[in-house]
Amino acid sequence: MKHLENDRVKFFQGDQGNRENLLNMYSVFGNKPFDFILEDGSHFHHHQMISFGALFKYVKSGGYYILEDITEEGIDACCQRNDETYKVIFNLKETGKIENEHLLEEEIKYIENKTKMCTLNTLSPNLHKLLNLKSNSNPNPINLNKENFSPNT
């Protein structure tokens, strides 16, 4: 993917189970909030949650955090099953609360305090779901509408 990089598009390969490695990405890319982060990693639940918790705060207001290939129990999946991720996000959508053993307390607080709206988008029946975390209202993807960007809160 490096061949697709330019002054506005960058790729980072890291260890999704290592928060320090994920947080290093922010400094590698100039300590500026991202327009979007596309998480297309291992598809393991714990990796998706660690990445989400560590990186969501670096998406600027109006930007997206995209988490793809979320599986739902009872529906065929194209890839690694991670039904637990779907349950966590569905609970966030329904209650505004997120509970997960792979998220740190400060990550949970940030996500809950900065989320205004959450929707889930099915891209193709029986294949996968896409999680879009966005700061503006958009009725289609999983949108977590953030209030103001603040990577240190």
Side-chain angles (χ1 to χ4, degrees):
M1 299 293 280
K2 289 284 189 185
H3 67 282
L4 298 173
E5 285 191 1
N6 60 47
D7 61 330
R8 297 190 60 212
V9 176
K10 304 288 181 207
F11 296 91
F12 183 84
Q13 182 176 350
D15 177 355
Q16 284 185 276
N18 182 323
R19 276 186 177 79
E20 185 177 326
N21 186 254
L22 293 168
L23 297 177
N24 184 49
M25 179 179 68
Y26 185 64
S27 62
V28 166
F29 292 136
N31 297 319
K32 296 177 184 174
F34 297 103
D35 292 323
F36 72 90
I37 294 175
L38 171 60
E39 184 279 330
D40 184 14
S42 73
H43 303 145
F44 289 112
H45 168 68
H46 66 285
H47 285 162
Q48 289 178 322
M49 291 291 98
I50 291 169
S51 296
F52 178 40
L55 299 176
F56 183 58
K57 63 186 173 185
Y58 297 118
V59 176
K60 69 180 175 182
S61 181
Y64 292 91
Y65 184 95
I66 303 166
L67 174 58
E68 53 87 49
D69 288 336
I70 303 170
T71 60
E72 184 177 354
E73 192 172 348
I75 297 178
D76 292 337
C78 66
C79 54
Q80 171 69 38
R81 296 225 50 107
N82 54 22
D83 303 342
E84 190 61 30
T85 300
Y86 178 84
K87 292 175 189 174
V88 169
I89 299 305
F90 185 81
N91 187 61
L92 178 62
K93 175 184 178 284
E94 294 297 309
T95 69
K97 301 292 181 187
I98 190 163
E99 296 178 21
N100 189 267
E101 67 274 14
H102 304 294
L103 294 171
L104 302 176
E105 187 62 34
E106 62 266 19
E107 294 168 345
I108 290 170
K109 287 178 183 176
Y110 185 87
I111 292 166
E112 290 178 351
N113 290 331
K114 299 297 182 177
T115 300
K116 289 182 181 178
M117 186 177 89
C118 181
T119 61
L120 191 60
N121 185 26
T122 302
L123 294 180
S124 177
N126 300 325
L127 286 180
H128 62 274
K129 303 210 179 285
L130 178 72
L131 167 67
N132 271 338
L133 308 152
K134 189 178 183 326
S135 62
N136 292 343
S137 161
N138 180 344
N140 289 324
I142 212 172
N143 290 309
L144 297 184
N145 284 5
K146 290 174 26 178
E147 294 177 348
N148 297 314
F149 168 77
S150 178
N152 298 319
T153 58

